[in-house]
């Protein structure tokens, strides 16, 4: 019979659990899991409160948008999911993802301490110098009129220095950019920044486009739309859609309808 020991929590996450969970926040810090988003969705259905957090050192089934795999090797990334119960309607969910992107960008900026300039690649990625450093996956439980809850999943490449061949060249990490790889500081910074961004979204939803504009990586980039038309990205609308100028006409495009053309 195999006597499998459960994986041990790494030292930094023992410290994170102490800092995060012992001060009253509903929180689970795990060594290994399938997906922190799946864990938190299950916990939300059992009644987890707003603000509940699941963090894992490693995930075996980490997911990105379009069910793409998100790789989470031990000790090298942050895999974090946060539960929101915002007074929003289902069509507002893209705004939550963009707000989470702003929060991830701010926390990564602080970790980089001025080395590199993290920017948001609409709709849900954070890039540094053309390479992806973080991604956001927001999954909502919706009724027809409102968001019952939203699970905000954030993955950040922290200490990774080697990527598989399909990601090498298009991915980077805080370590590769010469930043501070302290995961405790980064998770706490991310949660604070998310709090700031969600409050800003709820207080002044129409300001979202303006908050994103300084960090909008697609601004001025050539894009093509699903129907074959080509245009230039010129900002993010307050409802979270991409603004595209197509031959003098302004078009608002949803995620999934736009392809960024090589510059
Ligand atoms: C993307 O790039 O499309 C989004 C990636 C999101 C990954 C995070 S890691 C924490 C949370 N758990 C998951 O399974 N996915 C998100």
């Amino acid at each position: 019979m195999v006597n499998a020991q459960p994986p041990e929590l790494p030292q930094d996450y023992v410290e994170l659990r102490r800092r995060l969970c012992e001060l009253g926040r509903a929180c689970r810090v795990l060594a290994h899991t399938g997906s922190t988003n799946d864990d938190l969705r299950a916990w939300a259905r059992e009644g987890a409160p707003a603000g509940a957090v699941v963090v894992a050192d490693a995930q075996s089934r980490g997911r990105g948008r379009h069910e793409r795999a998100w790789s989470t090797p031990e000790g090298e990334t942050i895999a974090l999911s946060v539960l929101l119960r915002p007074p929003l309607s289902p069509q507002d969910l893209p705004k939550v993802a963009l707000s989470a992107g702003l929060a991830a960008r701010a926390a990564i900026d602080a970790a980089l301490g001025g080395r590199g300039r993290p920017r948001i690649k609409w709709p849900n990625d954070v890039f540094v110098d053309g390479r992806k450093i973080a991604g956001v996956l927001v999954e909502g439980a919706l009724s027809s009129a409102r968001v019952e809850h939203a699970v905000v999943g954030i993955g950040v490449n922290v200490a990774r220095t080697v990527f598989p061949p399909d990601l090498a060249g298009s991915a980077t990490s805080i370590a590769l950019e010469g930043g501070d790889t302290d995961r405790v500081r980064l998770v706490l910074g991310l949660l604070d920044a998310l709090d700031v961004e969600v409050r800003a979204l709820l207080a002044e939803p129409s300001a979202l486009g303006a908050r994103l504009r300084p960090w909008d990586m697609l601004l001025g980039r050539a894009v093509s739309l699903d129907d074959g038309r080509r245009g230039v990205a010129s900002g993010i609308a307050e409802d979270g859609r991409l603004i595209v100028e197509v031959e003098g006409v302004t078009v608002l495009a949803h995620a999934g309808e736009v392809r960024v053309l090589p510059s």
Side-chain angles (χ1 to χ4, degrees):
M1 203 172 94
V2 182
N3 187 9
Q5 296 291 321
E8 257 189 48
L9 204 57
Q11 264 317 305
D12 61 343
Y13 273 14
V14 172
E15 171 66 9
L16 178 67
R17 187 172 57 191
R18 193 184 65 74
R19 301 270 296 273
L20 198 57
C21 314
E22 290 173 11
L23 289 174
R25 190 192 270 265
C27 146
R28 293 177 182 168
V29 181
L30 311 170
H32 277 235
T33 194
S35 154
T36 56
N37 265 32
D38 290 346
D39 293 344
L40 190 52
R41 286 166 71 189
W43 192 10
R45 287 193 293 271
E46 291 160 11
V53 169
V54 178
V55 185
D57 181 39
Q59 299 181 118
S60 53
R61 290 188 307 279
R63 285 182 285 109
R65 288 194 321 130
H66 308 303
E67 295 298 321
R68 288 193 199 108
W70 177 264
S71 130
T72 318
E74 282 168 25
E76 296 193 343
T77 70
I78 285 173
L80 164 82
S81 300
V82 184
L83 185 67
L84 305 179
R85 295 189 183 277
L88 294 173
S89 51
Q91 64 269 23
D92 292 326
L93 224 45
K95 302 185 206 172
V96 175
L98 286 162
S99 300
L102 277 169
R105 196 218 68 82
I108 291 166
D109 200 19
L112 294 183
R115 299 173 206 86
R117 185 168 183 266
R119 291 195 290 165
I120 291 175
K121 185 176 179 203
W122 180 88
N124 73 325
D125 293 335
V126 181
F127 271 61
V128 177
D129 289 337
R131 289 170 192 239
K132 181 162 168 172
I133 196 165
V136 171
L137 175 67
V138 172
E139 297 177 302
L142 313 173
S143 70
S144 57
R146 67 186 193 96
V147 174
E148 301 289 342
H149 67 249
V151 169
V152 177
I154 302 175
V156 184
N157 295 325
V158 181
R160 286 195 89 168
T161 53
V162 179
F163 288 93
D166 57 321
L167 295 179
S170 63
T172 189
S173 68
I174 290 177
L176 287 172
E177 301 299 328
D180 173 9
T181 57
D182 183 321
R183 291 194 298 180
V184 177
R185 248 199 303 274
L186 203 44
V187 169
L188 297 176
L190 254 172
L191 291 172
D192 284 348
L194 187 62
D195 199 52
V196 168
E197 291 303 332
V198 171
R199 280 175 200 278
L201 175 67
L202 297 180
E204 201 181 350
S206 62
L208 180 64
R211 289 178 75 77
L212 286 157
R213 197 167 179 85
W215 321 113
D216 179 359
M217 185 178 147
L218 296 191
L219 201 59
R221 290 283 303 267
V223 298
S224 67
L225 303 177
D226 262 359
D227 59 11
R229 286 181 295 168
R230 291 181 169 216
V232 175
S234 68
I236 298 164
E238 66 178 77
D239 66 358
R241 284 184 291 175
L242 190 70
I243 306 170
V244 184
E245 300 301 332
V246 183
E247 291 164 9
V249 178
T250 301
V251 176
L252 296 179
H254 287 286
E257 294 173 353
V258 178
R259 205 165 62 86
V260 182
L261 299 171
S263 44

